[in-house]
Amino acid sequence: MIFELLIGWIGFLKRILPQISANWDLIGMALVCLAGFFAGSHWFLKWMWTALAERRRELEDIESKPTATTTPWKPRWTLAINVLVWLSFLIGMSSIGIVHQAGWMAASEEPVMVVKRGGNSPQMMANLIFVTFVSEDIRDRQGLESAVKEMKTRDTLDRLISRVAADQVRAYLLVNDAGTVHGAIAFRTVYSGQFYGQIGVYDSREKPARKSMEREQLPEIMRRYQDELYPFL
């Protein structure tokens, strides 16, 4: 748990940042608002600073005691105050989020931390799925449908995907027109450490048959085998 608290956010950023897309309309609006807030606050602070300086000069005339010349209000002072305001705003939002999340975790009956980084790699999953279906000697589409239904038992899935929930895996059989299975594709849909970024491909017609590919190649793989894909998980 200490390890996760210290550097667990690195894996979170690696998973989330590629999924973030920029909304330039909102970014432009935010920049305009920031510029307007800065200009307005600078004008107000400069006016107030000048008014206070004039008030001090009036008091000097009354008391006949000269004071140091007032330094003009500087833009960097306005910038520093703006940064403090926005930093306070972000700290407040973060504090509310921490309190909300801590309260939700305290009220939940689920364990605080669950480690699900074990299990077979996608490459091993694809291999095991292919071997399992090949042993069934499937020869037509009807036999393929029956075999898929039989394979989706808890014991069989535990062996094929090993300690990974079935709804966190996508797996496809590679099937020819006659219904014969000649390969499989498997990958995880939920972040699970080192295996999340991998795609397991097993194609018995190629050498080597087993491949581990990067997640970014998934669209290319799906297009390549689009006419042979048969959903399993």
Side-chain angles (χ1 to χ4, degrees):
M1 183 174 291
I2 294 175
F3 177 82
E4 291 292 334
L5 287 173
L6 291 176
I7 64 173
W9 55 272
I10 297 177
F12 172 80
L13 292 178
K14 289 175 63 178
R15 174 168 55 94
I16 294 300
L17 288 179
Q19 303 177 23
I20 296 176
S21 59
N23 188 325
W24 293 109
D25 291 339
L26 292 179
I27 292 174
M29 182 183 295
L31 292 176
V32 170
C33 291
L34 287 173
F37 183 80
F38 176 83
S41 60
H42 181 69
W43 175 85
F44 173 75
L45 292 170
K46 185 177 180 180
W47 169 82
M48 186 174 65
W49 184 258
T50 303
L52 291 174
E54 292 177 354
R55 179 60 178 167
R56 283 196 298 270
R57 282 194 293 269
E58 292 176 1
L59 294 176
E60 286 179 13
D61 293 338
I62 296 174
E63 298 177 0
S64 300
K65 292 181 179 180
T67 59
T69 304
T70 303
T71 303
W73 184 262
K74 299 180 180 180
R76 69 178 185 214
W77 296 350
T78 303
L79 178 62
I81 292 175
N82 275 248
V83 170
L84 288 175
V85 169
W86 289 109
L87 184 60
S88 301
F89 175 72
L90 292 175
I91 292 174
M93 289 183 59
S94 301
S95 300
I96 293 172
I98 291 171
V99 172
H100 175 79
Q101 188 72 6
W104 177 80
M105 293 173 66
S108 175
E109 297 180 357
E110 299 293 329
V112 174
M113 180 177 177
V114 178
V115 179
K116 294 184 177 179
R117 292 190 174 180
N120 293 335
S121 67
Q123 184 186 40
M124 181 61 71
M125 290 180 190
N127 184 30
L128 291 174
I129 291 171
F130 167 72
V131 171
T132 301
F133 278 92
V134 165
S135 65
E136 294 296 310
D137 192 26
I138 300 168
R139 297 183 180 277
D140 53 40
R141 288 280 174 168
Q142 186 175 357
L144 176 63
E145 294 176 4
S146 300
V148 168
K149 292 180 181 179
E150 292 176 2
M151 294 301 169
K152 288 185 178 180
T153 62
R154 184 168 184 175
D155 292 340
T156 304
L157 292 180
D158 284 346
R159 178 174 60 84
L160 296 178
I161 62 181
S162 181
R163 301 196 301 276
V164 182
D167 59 355
Q168 298 180 4
V169 176
R170 287 289 181 272
Y172 297 87
L173 301 174
L174 302 182
V175 183
N176 60 21
D177 294 337
T180 303
V181 178
H182 56 75
I185 297 173
F187 56 93
R188 299 191 181 189
T189 58
V190 177
Y191 178 70
S192 52
Q194 60 177 328
F195 294 141
Y196 178 76
Q198 299 178 9
I199 302 171
V201 179
Y202 192 99
D203 190 342
S204 60
R205 301 165 298 181
E206 297 184 357
K207 300 293 182 182
R210 289 177 56 175
K211 299 177 184 177
S212 180
M213 309 182 76
E214 298 296 328
R215 195 172 190 86
E216 289 76 11
Q217 297 177 271
L218 181 59
E220 176 186 346
I221 295 171
M222 300 304 282
R223 284 195 300 268
R224 177 182 176 184
Y225 293 105
Q226 61 182 344
D227 296 329
E228 304 175 357
L229 297 176
Y230 189 94
F232 175 56
L233 290 176

